[in-house]
Amino acid sequence: MIRFPLWTRAARLRCRALCPPALLLAGVLLPASADARRLHVDAAAGNDSADGLTPATAWRSLEKVNGFAYQPGDSILFRRGERWTGQFNPAFGQGTAQHPVFVGAYGVGARPGIDGQGLFQDAVVLQNRSYWILTTLEVTNLG
């Protein structure tokens, strides 16, 4: 299990951007799986009833993201310049060494943010999840 503890103002998780559908890991270029999906999340204009497969049909909430079953090679892309309050804790899905699940950003602007607001012990939890890569997110959990 990977846990991100409570962060102070000075200590925030910041990651560098990687671009799906290919990821550079340890000097090896990994192509996305043929069945991989790019799932978009937009806090302002998203709709949890939509399919999430394009920016125009993006999901809105962390609850929708957390309840989805992910497959190897899937990408979860949060819209830049937006913030979500709550916990990122996907309940279903695994990646593989060749096709990890990628969590990153799309669009232009500031890094997307996930803010636990001190309501959770951890703002990001990957419990019993294998081969997940998180990048380009700002994670805070200030109470």
Side-chain angles (χ1 to χ4, degrees), residues 9-20:
R9 278 186 215 279
R12 296 182 194 186
L13 176 64
R14 296 201 187 262
C15 304
R16 296 182 187 236
L18 295 175
C19 297

Side-chain angles (χ1 to χ4, degrees), residues 60-137:
R60 178 181 293 250
S61 71
L62 288 174
E63 290 79 13
K64 178 68 174 187
V65 172
N66 290 342
F68 192 75
Y70 298 98
Q71 301 172 6
D74 281 354
S75 297
I76 306 164
L77 304 173
F78 291 91
R79 185 176 179 109
R80 286 181 172 272
E82 297 185 11
R83 298 192 69 76
W84 288 261
T85 298
Q87 185 180 60
F88 177 74
N89 185 5
F92 309 101
Q94 305 287 348
T96 65
Q98 294 77 27
H99 304 291
V101 175
F102 176 85
V103 181
Y106 75 97
V108 179
R111 295 173 188 221
I114 296 175
D115 186 356
Q117 292 190 337
L119 302 173
F120 305 92
Q121 180 178 349
D122 305 296
V124 174
V125 178
L126 294 175
Q127 186 170 3
N128 298 319
R129 302 289 134 242
S130 298
Y131 299 103
W132 282 64
I133 296 173
L134 280 71
T135 185
T136 323
L137 299 176

